[in-house]
Amino acid sequence: MSVLVFGSINLDLIFRLPHLPAPGETVLGTEMRAEPGGKGANQAVAAARDGAAVALAGAVGRDAFAEPALALLREAGVDLGRVATLDGATGCAAIAVDREGRNQIAVAPGVNLAASAAQVEDAALGPDTVLVVQRECDAGETAQLLLRARARGARAVVNLAPFGGIALDALATAAVVVVNAGEAAQLAAALGSEAEPAALARRLGTAVLVTRGEAGAELAEGGRLRYQPAFPVAAIDTTAAGDAFVGVLASALDRGLDLAAAMRRAAAAAALACTRPGTQGSLPRAAETDALAATRP
């Protein structure tokens, strides 16, 4: 059993600010630090820290950001044999975080957009693999990989974030599509559907999981709707919460949990990520998630 992530690899520049800037406003911050990030890399680290055997396919540039962007992936034991080094810039994100933990994020994708589905061989897409994809790599390459994964028997977790088009036939191959409330509304508009999980699931023909931050998460699967309350924590930075959720969801599915149980474990991991600053550095380890998941709610 294993988790295979096809996704972005960034170096994040994180700015702590007293408040988030309005258009045209310059805000003097209290600190800045660089930390590995990118939705694909974050989700790979989250799954690995949760105990899964994880491989990542993606791309970095031939620049000074490449090695720092890979540092915590290496530390977590993620297999980087499918990461290409390409001419161009490593992806980079500028993340502003205010005193309440809210964030604004700007991303320069760099060579993430040149990552290719061909970097993943067919043999890696068998029934024992959970494939995880997002929307920070080329949509066409992502769709190709999803269709190949269906043909080979892999289960796919599609995190439609940031929102953007993936061909409907490719989306329909997913074991589950994960979106936040805003992305659910955008997906509904694109599909001509209501934004509730059950309506999206009927339209796509697959399970849909909508995360709602402190309001919890909802899963529509097989005609049933399940609700998972958020675990109450003192949040200081929500930046990595979504990626913690998706990575641990994939890890939990890989270890044999059903979607409802995996959603609960993912919610616990996401809550823990909110209690510490940063992106990959904030992602919890399995023992921490075990402890919180054993509590209410």
Coordinates of all heavy atoms in Angstrom, one line a residue, residues 122-181:
D122 N 3.0 3.5 -15.3 CA 1.8 2.8 -15.1 C 1.9 1.8 -13.9 O 0.9 1.6 -13.2 CB 1.4 2.0 -16.3 CG 0.8 2.8 -17.4 OD1 0.4 4.0 -17.1 OD2 0.7 2.3 -18.6
A123 N 3.0 1.2 -13.7 CA 3.2 0.2 -12.6 C 2.9 0.8 -11.2 O 2.6 0.1 -10.3 CB 4.5 -0.4 -12.7
A124 N 3.0 2.1 -11.1 CA 2.8 2.8 -9.8 C 1.4 3.1 -9.6 O 1.0 3.7 -8.5 CB 3.7 4.1 -9.8
L125 N 0.5 2.8 -10.5 CA -0.9 3.2 -10.4 C -1.9 2.0 -10.2 O -3.0 2.0 -10.7 CB -1.3 4.0 -11.7 CG -0.6 5.3 -11.9 CD1 -0.9 5.8 -13.3 CD2 -0.9 6.3 -10.8
G126 N -1.4 1.0 -9.5 CA -2.2 -0.2 -9.3 C -3.2 0.0 -8.2 O -3.3 1.0 -7.5
P127 N -3.9 -1.1 -7.9 CA -5.0 -1.0 -6.8 C -4.5 -0.8 -5.4 O -5.3 -0.4 -4.6 CB -5.6 -2.4 -6.9 CG -5.3 -2.9 -8.3 CD -4.0 -2.4 -8.6
D128 N -3.2 -0.9 -5.2 CA -2.7 -0.7 -3.8 C -2.2 0.8 -3.7 O -1.7 1.1 -2.6 CB -1.5 -1.6 -3.6 CG -1.9 -3.0 -3.3 OD1 -3.1 -3.3 -3.0 OD2 -1.0 -3.9 -3.5
T129 N -2.5 1.6 -4.7 CA -2.0 3.0 -4.6 C -3.2 4.0 -4.4 O -4.2 3.8 -5.0 CB -1.3 3.4 -5.9 OG1 -0.1 2.6 -6.1 CG2 -0.9 4.9 -5.9
V130 N -3.0 4.9 -3.5 CA -3.9 6.1 -3.4 C -3.2 7.3 -4.1 O -2.2 7.7 -3.6 CB -4.2 6.4 -1.9 CG1 -5.1 7.7 -1.9 CG2 -5.0 5.3 -1.3
L131 N -3.8 7.7 -5.2 CA -3.2 8.9 -5.9 C -3.8 10.1 -5.4 O -5.1 10.2 -5.2 CB -3.5 8.7 -7.4 CG -3.1 9.9 -8.3 CD1 -1.6 10.0 -8.4 CD2 -3.7 9.7 -9.7
V132 N -3.0 11.2 -5.2 CA -3.5 12.5 -4.7 C -3.1 13.5 -5.7 O -1.9 13.6 -6.1 CB -2.9 12.8 -3.3 CG1 -3.4 14.2 -2.8 CG2 -3.2 11.7 -2.3
V133 N -4.0 14.3 -6.2 CA -3.7 15.4 -7.1 C -4.4 16.7 -6.6 O -5.4 16.6 -5.9 CB -4.1 15.1 -8.6 CG1 -3.4 13.9 -9.1 CG2 -5.6 15.0 -8.7
Q134 N -3.9 17.8 -7.1 CA -4.5 19.1 -6.8 C -4.6 20.0 -8.1 O -4.6 19.4 -9.2 CB -3.7 19.9 -5.7 CG -3.0 19.1 -4.6 CD -1.8 18.4 -5.1 OE1 -1.1 18.9 -6.0 NE2 -1.5 17.2 -4.6
R135 N -4.6 21.3 -7.9 CA -4.7 22.1 -9.1 C -3.6 23.2 -9.2 O -3.7 24.2 -9.8 CB -6.0 22.9 -9.1 CG -7.2 22.1 -9.7 CD -7.1 22.0 -11.2 NE -7.3 23.3 -11.8 CZ -6.4 23.9 -12.5 NH1 -5.2 23.4 -12.8 NH2 -6.7 25.1 -13.0
E136 N -2.4 22.8 -8.8 CA -1.2 23.7 -8.9 C -0.3 23.2 -10.0 O 0.8 23.8 -10.2 CB -0.5 23.9 -7.6 CG -1.3 24.7 -6.6 CD -0.6 25.1 -5.3 OE1 0.4 24.4 -5.0 OE2 -1.0 26.1 -4.7
C137 N -0.6 22.1 -10.7 CA 0.1 21.6 -11.9 C -0.8 21.8 -13.1 O -2.0 22.1 -12.9 CB 0.6 20.2 -11.7 SG 1.9 20.0 -10.4
D138 N -0.3 21.5 -14.2 CA -1.1 21.6 -15.5 C -2.4 20.7 -15.4 O -2.3 19.5 -15.1 CB -0.3 21.2 -16.7 CG -1.0 21.4 -18.0 OD1 -1.2 22.5 -18.5 OD2 -1.5 20.3 -18.5
A139 N -3.5 21.3 -15.7 CA -4.8 20.6 -15.6 C -4.9 19.4 -16.5 O -5.4 18.4 -16.2 CB -6.0 21.5 -15.8
G140 N -4.3 19.6 -17.7 CA -4.4 18.5 -18.7 C -3.5 17.3 -18.3 O -3.9 16.2 -18.5
E141 N -2.3 17.6 -17.8 CA -1.5 16.5 -17.3 C -2.1 15.8 -16.1 O -2.1 14.6 -16.0 CB -0.1 17.1 -16.9 CG 0.7 17.7 -18.0 CD 1.2 16.6 -19.0 OE1 1.4 15.5 -18.6 OE2 1.2 16.9 -20.2
T142 N -2.8 16.6 -15.2 CA -3.5 16.0 -14.1 C -4.6 15.1 -14.5 O -4.8 14.0 -14.0 CB -4.0 17.1 -13.1 OG1 -2.9 17.9 -12.7 CG2 -4.7 16.5 -11.9
A143 N -5.4 15.6 -15.5 CA -6.5 14.8 -16.0 C -6.0 13.5 -16.7 O -6.6 12.4 -16.5 CB -7.3 15.6 -17.1
Q144 N -4.9 13.6 -17.4 CA -4.3 12.3 -18.0 C -4.0 11.3 -17.0 O -4.2 10.1 -17.1 CB -3.1 12.7 -18.8 CG -3.3 13.4 -20.2 CD -2.0 13.6 -20.9 OE1 -1.1 12.8 -20.9 NE2 -1.8 14.8 -21.5
L145 N -3.4 11.8 -15.9 CA -2.9 10.9 -14.8 C -4.1 10.3 -14.2 O -4.1 9.1 -13.8 CB -2.1 11.6 -13.8 CG -1.4 10.8 -12.8 CD1 -0.5 9.7 -13.4 CD2 -0.6 11.7 -11.8
L146 N -5.2 11.0 -13.9 CA -6.4 10.5 -13.3 C -7.0 9.4 -14.2 O -7.5 8.3 -13.7 CB -7.4 11.6 -13.1 CG -7.1 12.5 -11.9 CD1 -8.0 13.7 -12.0 CD2 -7.2 11.8 -10.6
L147 N -7.1 9.6 -15.5 CA -7.6 8.6 -16.4 C -6.8 7.3 -16.4 O -7.3 6.2 -16.4 CB -7.8 9.2 -17.8 CG -8.9 10.3 -17.9 CD1 -8.8 11.0 -19.2 CD2 -10.3 9.8 -17.6
R148 N -5.5 7.5 -16.4 CA -4.6 6.3 -16.4 C -4.7 5.6 -15.0 O -4.7 4.4 -15.0 CB -3.1 6.8 -16.5 CG -2.8 7.1 -18.0 CD -1.4 7.7 -18.1 NE -0.4 6.8 -17.4 CZ 0.7 7.3 -16.8 NH1 0.9 8.6 -16.8 NH2 1.5 6.5 -16.3
A149 N -4.9 6.3 -13.9 CA -5.1 5.7 -12.6 C -6.3 4.9 -12.6 O -6.3 3.8 -12.1 CB -5.1 6.8 -11.6
R150 N -7.4 5.4 -13.2 CA -8.7 4.6 -13.2 C -8.4 3.3 -14.0 O -8.9 2.2 -13.6 CB -9.8 5.4 -13.8 CG -11.1 4.6 -14.0 CD -12.2 5.4 -14.5 NE -12.0 5.8 -15.9 CZ -12.8 6.5 -16.6 NH1 -14.0 6.9 -16.1 NH2 -12.5 6.9 -17.8
A151 N -7.7 3.4 -15.1 CA -7.5 2.2 -15.9 C -6.7 1.2 -15.2 O -6.8 0.0 -15.4 CB -6.8 2.6 -17.3
R152 N -5.8 1.6 -14.3 CA -4.9 0.7 -13.6 C -5.4 0.3 -12.3 O -4.8 -0.6 -11.6 CB -3.5 1.4 -13.5 CG -2.8 1.8 -14.7 CD -2.3 0.6 -15.5 NE -1.3 -0.2 -14.8 CZ -0.7 -1.2 -15.3 NH1 -0.9 -1.6 -16.5 NH2 0.2 -1.9 -14.6
G153 N -6.5 0.9 -11.8 CA -7.1 0.5 -10.5 C -6.8 1.3 -9.3 O -7.2 1.0 -8.2
A154 N -6.0 2.4 -9.4 CA -5.6 3.2 -8.3 C -6.9 4.0 -7.8 O -7.7 4.4 -8.7 CB -4.5 4.1 -8.6
R155 N -7.0 4.3 -6.5 CA -8.0 5.2 -6.0 C -7.4 6.6 -6.0 O -6.3 6.8 -5.6 CB -8.4 4.8 -4.6 CG -9.1 3.5 -4.5 CD -9.3 3.1 -3.0 NE -8.1 2.8 -2.4 CZ -7.9 2.7 -1.1 NH1 -8.9 2.9 -0.3 NH2 -6.7 2.4 -0.6
A156 N -8.2 7.6 -6.4 CA -7.7 9.0 -6.5 C -8.5 9.9 -5.6 O -9.7 9.8 -5.5 CB -7.9 9.5 -8.0
V157 N -7.7 10.7 -4.9 CA -8.2 11.8 -4.1 C -7.9 13.1 -4.9 O -6.7 13.4 -5.1 CB -7.5 11.9 -2.7 CG1 -8.0 13.1 -1.9 CG2 -7.8 10.6 -1.9
V158 N -8.9 13.8 -5.3 CA -8.7 15.0 -6.1 C -9.1 16.2 -5.2 O -10.2 16.4 -4.7 CB -9.6 15.1 -7.3 CG1 -9.5 16.4 -8.0 CG2 -9.3 13.9 -8.2
N159 N -8.0 17.0 -4.9 CA -8.2 18.3 -4.1 C -8.3 19.4 -5.1 O -7.3 19.8 -5.7 CB -7.1 18.5 -3.2 CG -7.2 19.8 -2.3 OD1 -6.2 20.3 -1.9 ND2 -8.4 20.2 -2.1
L160 N -9.5 19.9 -5.4 CA -9.7 20.9 -6.5 C -9.4 22.3 -6.0 O -10.3 23.1 -5.9 CB -11.2 20.8 -7.0 CG -11.5 21.2 -8.4 CD1 -10.6 20.5 -9.4 CD2 -12.9 21.1 -8.7
A161 N -8.1 22.4 -5.7 CA -7.6 23.7 -5.1 C -6.3 24.0 -5.6 O -5.4 23.1 -5.7 CB -7.6 23.5 -3.5
P162 N -6.0 25.3 -6.0 CA -7.0 26.3 -6.1 C -8.0 26.0 -7.2 O -7.6 25.2 -8.1 CB -6.2 27.6 -6.5 CG -5.0 27.0 -7.1 CD -4.7 25.8 -6.4
F163 N -9.2 26.5 -7.2 CA -10.2 26.0 -8.1 C -9.8 26.3 -9.6 O -9.3 27.3 -9.9 CB -11.6 26.7 -7.9 CG -12.6 26.2 -8.8 CD1 -13.2 25.0 -8.6 CD2 -13.0 26.9 -10.0 CE1 -14.2 24.5 -9.5 CE2 -13.9 26.4 -10.8 CZ -14.5 25.2 -10.6
G164 N -10.1 25.3 -10.4 CA -9.8 25.4 -11.8 C -10.3 24.2 -12.5 O -10.6 23.2 -11.9
G165 N -10.3 24.3 -13.8 CA -10.9 23.2 -14.6 C -10.1 21.9 -14.6 O -8.9 22.0 -14.9
I166 N -10.7 20.8 -14.4 CA -10.2 19.5 -14.8 C -11.4 18.8 -15.5 O -12.5 18.9 -15.1 CB -9.8 18.6 -13.5 CG1 -8.6 19.3 -12.8 CG2 -9.5 17.2 -14.0 CD1 -8.1 18.5 -11.6
A167 N -11.1 18.2 -16.6 CA -12.1 17.6 -17.5 C -13.1 16.7 -16.6 O -12.6 16.0 -15.7 CB -11.5 16.8 -18.6
L168 N -14.4 16.9 -16.9 CA -15.4 16.2 -16.1 C -15.2 14.7 -16.1 O -15.4 14.0 -15.0 CB -16.8 16.5 -16.6 CG -18.0 16.0 -15.8 CD1 -17.9 16.6 -14.4 CD2 -19.3 16.5 -16.5
D169 N -14.8 14.1 -17.2 CA -14.6 12.6 -17.2 C -13.4 12.2 -16.3 O -13.5 11.2 -15.7 CB -14.4 12.1 -18.6 CG -13.1 12.7 -19.3 OD1 -12.7 13.8 -18.9 OD2 -12.7 12.1 -20.3
A170 N -12.4 13.1 -16.1 CA -11.3 12.8 -15.2 C -11.8 13.0 -13.8 O -11.4 12.2 -12.9 CB -10.1 13.7 -15.6
L171 N -12.5 14.1 -13.5 CA -13.0 14.3 -12.1 C -13.9 13.1 -11.7 O -13.8 12.7 -10.5 CB -13.8 15.6 -12.1 CG -13.2 16.9 -11.7 CD1 -14.2 18.0 -11.5 CD2 -12.4 16.7 -10.4
A172 N -14.6 12.6 -12.6 CA -15.6 11.5 -12.2 C -14.8 10.2 -11.9 O -15.4 9.3 -11.3 CB -16.5 11.2 -13.4
T173 N -13.5 10.1 -12.1 CA -12.8 8.9 -11.8 C -12.4 8.9 -10.3 O -11.9 7.8 -9.8 CB -11.5 8.8 -12.6 OG1 -10.5 9.8 -12.2 CG2 -11.7 8.9 -14.1
A174 N -12.5 10.0 -9.6 CA -12.0 10.1 -8.2 C -12.8 9.2 -7.3 O -14.0 9.1 -7.4 CB -12.1 11.6 -7.8
A175 N -12.1 8.7 -6.3 CA -12.8 8.1 -5.1 C -13.5 9.2 -4.3 O -14.5 8.9 -3.8 CB -11.8 7.3 -4.3
V176 N -12.8 10.4 -4.3 CA -13.4 11.5 -3.5 C -12.8 12.8 -4.1 O -11.7 12.8 -4.4 CB -13.2 11.4 -2.0 CG1 -11.8 11.3 -1.6 CG2 -14.0 12.5 -1.3
V177 N -13.7 13.8 -4.2 CA -13.3 15.1 -4.6 C -13.4 16.0 -3.3 O -14.4 16.0 -2.7 CB -14.2 15.7 -5.7 CG1 -13.8 17.2 -6.0 CG2 -14.0 14.9 -7.0
V178 N -12.3 16.7 -3.0 CA -12.2 17.5 -1.8 C -12.2 18.9 -2.1 O -11.3 19.3 -2.9 CB -11.0 17.1 -0.9 CG1 -11.0 17.9 0.4 CG2 -11.0 15.6 -0.6
V179 N -13.1 19.7 -1.6 CA -13.1 21.2 -1.9 C -13.5 21.9 -0.6 O -14.1 21.3 0.3 CB -14.2 21.6 -3.0 CG1 -13.7 21.2 -4.3 CG2 -15.5 21.0 -2.6
N180 N -13.0 23.2 -0.5 CA -13.5 24.0 0.6 C -14.8 24.6 0.2 O -15.3 24.4 -0.9 CB -12.5 25.0 1.1 CG -12.1 26.0 0.1 OD1 -12.9 26.3 -0.8 ND2 -10.9 26.6 0.2
A181 N -15.4 25.4 1.1 CA -16.7 26.0 0.8 C -16.7 26.9 -0.4 O -17.6 26.9 -1.3 CB -17.3 26.7 2.0

